[in-house]
Every structure is written in structure tokens, then in C-alpha cells.
Amino acid sequence: GENVEQHPSTLSVQEGDSAVIKCTYSDSASNYFPWYKQELGKGPQLIIDIRSNVGEKKDQRIAVTLNKTAKHFSLHITETQPEDSAVYFCAAHNSGGYQKVTFGTGTKLQVIP
Amino acid sequence: KAGVTQTPRYLIKTRGQQVTLSCSPISGHRSVSWYQQTPGQGLQFLFEYFSETQRNKGNFPGRFSGRQFSNSRSEMNVSTLELGDSALYLCASSLEGLAASTDTQYFGPGTRLTVL
């Protein structure tokens, strides 16, 4: 089945700096890669996603890049703010796979004011 | 538009009991997926229901089951509870579900289950 590795597990950055979180996946049939932000006591919230036919997508301070050949995708947050502090999860979807969606293990991001 | 709602938000049970959790999807969404989130195993897919039929299933024992009603509301049941079932149980709804692969999922706040 699909395996998704996410790094780092924790990340501390100064306010205003950039943060980068990386994920690698194993199943080349995966074709949809969302990123979620989970705050304490809440469910994951979609912040950005990318389809396999696209290499990069940007939404204000957040961007995602996908390298299908290397099977990895990354989340980039620029000009970080304290409210960006949360746990971030990547996921890989495979419509033909058994489990359909596999999540990374999460990255706890702390933005220091 | 109202988001995904889950009830109850918190639940305490003892080993051997059974529990039923409820999820109401976003209006118009036909797919409901269930996930278990624990510190050790992370987010794991349990199963997906679409138009009252279980369409996909993760790698969990038969003690975990679910159903979906004609209004797309879904329930998840865990029988013979074990200590290891303590977790945050999340449901997510989407228009066409995981088979559509690129369909966006919207998560509820979860039900925190503690098994003593």
C-alpha cells in the first residue's frame, strides 16, 4: 500500500521567516495531494492542494510544489505569523488504491513572535 | 453553509462496552469518510460511505463498523471496546468521495473517545 513520510516532525521558526515541510510518497498512482492544518481541539482544515498534473500552486503566503518523478511534494509558508502555529498534515490520494488516502505523520509548527 | 458536525464531542467508556458516534455532513455531500487519530499511529482511514453503501475500507478489525442514512448522515460503531481504541475519531464529507480522487474533503471537529 501507499506510504507517506513527512519531515520534519517539529519545526520552530521566527515570525516573518519561511517554513518548509516535505512529504514523500511511494505509490506512483497517487494523483491528489492535499495539505491540512490542525489546531488544538479542531479537525484538520484543508489549506491547499495540488493535482498530479500540476507542478506548483500558490495561494497568498502558502505554496505547494510537486515532483512526480521523485515522488515528493512540499508545503511552503512565507512570512510566517503566530497564528500559523499548528500541526500540518500532508496526504496522498489514490483512486485506485485500497485505502484511497494515506496521511503523513504530521509536523508541529511553532512560530515564535 | 454549515460545516461537518460530529456528536458527541467527548465520550468516556469502559472496556468491553460499545459506542456509536454520529456525523452530519455538509448539505449536498454524499460521501462520509471516517478516520482514527492517535498520537502513535497518526491519522488512519477507517472507511467511506457513499449513498448509503460502504465503498472503501481501511485496515481495521470488524469491531469497527458504520452505516449511512438516506440523508447522508453517518454513524460509526465500535463494539467490545479496547484500551487502544482511545482516540480522536474524525469524519470528513465530500461531494463525490475518495473514488473521485481529487474531491476536497471537509473534516468535522471530531469525537474524543476515552476507553478506561
Side-chain angles (χ1 to χ4, degrees):
Chain A
E2 174 69 281
N3 182 49
V4 177
E5 293 189 0
Q6 183 173 344
H7 298 281
S9 56
T10 59
L11 180 59
S12 290
V13 299
Q14 290 292 134
E15 182 177 357
D17 286 350
S18 296
V20 180
I21 303 170
K22 298 181 179 180
C23 286
T24 60
Y25 61 98
S26 60
D27 190 344
S28 56
S30 290
N31 58 358
Y32 173 59
F33 307 93
W35 284 91
Y36 297 93
K37 174 183 180 183
Q38 187 174 24
E39 296 173 297
L40 205 60
K42 298 183 179 180
Q45 179 187 13
L46 179 73
I47 55 171
I48 197 167
D49 56 14
I50 191 165
R51 272 71 172 168
S52 59
N53 59 348
V54 176
E56 185 173 357
K57 182 177 178 181
K58 191 175 180 180
D59 182 5
Q60 298 183 342
R61 297 185 297 108
I62 295 173
V64 57
T65 58
L66 171 66
N67 183 327
K68 281 196 303 182
T69 304
K71 297 200 198 74
H72 68 70
F73 55 112
S74 299
L75 176 70
H76 304 254
I77 306 174
T78 58
E79 300 171 23
T80 53
Q81 302 166 2
E83 50 266 38
D84 294 330
S85 296
V87 178
Y88 292 81
F89 291 94
C90 63
H93 283 237
N94 174 4
S95 60
Y98 176 65
Q99 292 212 51
K100 303 299 183 187
V101 57
T102 304
F103 288 86
T105 48
T107 296
K108 185 174 183 179
L109 173 65
Q110 181 185 20
V111 180
I112 303 166
Chain B
K1 199 179 239 187
V4 178
T5 58
Q6 291 187 245
T7 56
R9 292 294 311 276
Y10 302 91
L11 208 47
I12 299 175
K13 292 286 186 179
T14 56
R15 278 184 302 173
Q17 287 186 310
Q18 74 166 16
V19 66
T20 299
L21 314 180
S22 180
C23 173
S24 293
I26 292 171
S27 177
H29 285 191
R30 295 188 293 170
S31 167
V32 174
S33 297
W34 287 90
Y35 300 87
Q36 182 194 66
Q37 186 175 30
T38 60
Q41 299 298 319
L43 263 165
Q44 292 185 287
F45 171 69
L46 279 156
F47 32 65
E48 180 200 14
Y49 284 86
F50 182 86
S51 293
E52 301 180 65
T53 301
Q54 187 181 88
R55 197 157 67 171
N56 296 294
K57 191 175 190 306
N59 191 27
F60 277 81
R63 299 187 296 108
F64 293 81
S65 63
R67 59 177 176 169
Q68 187 178 34
F69 302 94
S70 58
N71 62 357
S72 292
R73 189 177 71 85
S74 177
E75 288 182 347
M76 190 192 94
N77 185 75
V78 187
S79 63
T80 320
L81 284 166
E82 300 176 359
L83 295 178
D85 296 333
S86 294
L88 180 67
Y89 289 89
L90 295 157
C91 77
S93 76
S94 64
L95 283 168
E96 296 298 328
L98 298 177
S101 186
T102 59
D103 201 19
T104 298
Q105 290 194 93
Y106 297 88
F107 282 84
T111 294
R112 174 73 62 185
L113 172 66
T114 302
V115 182
L116 302 176

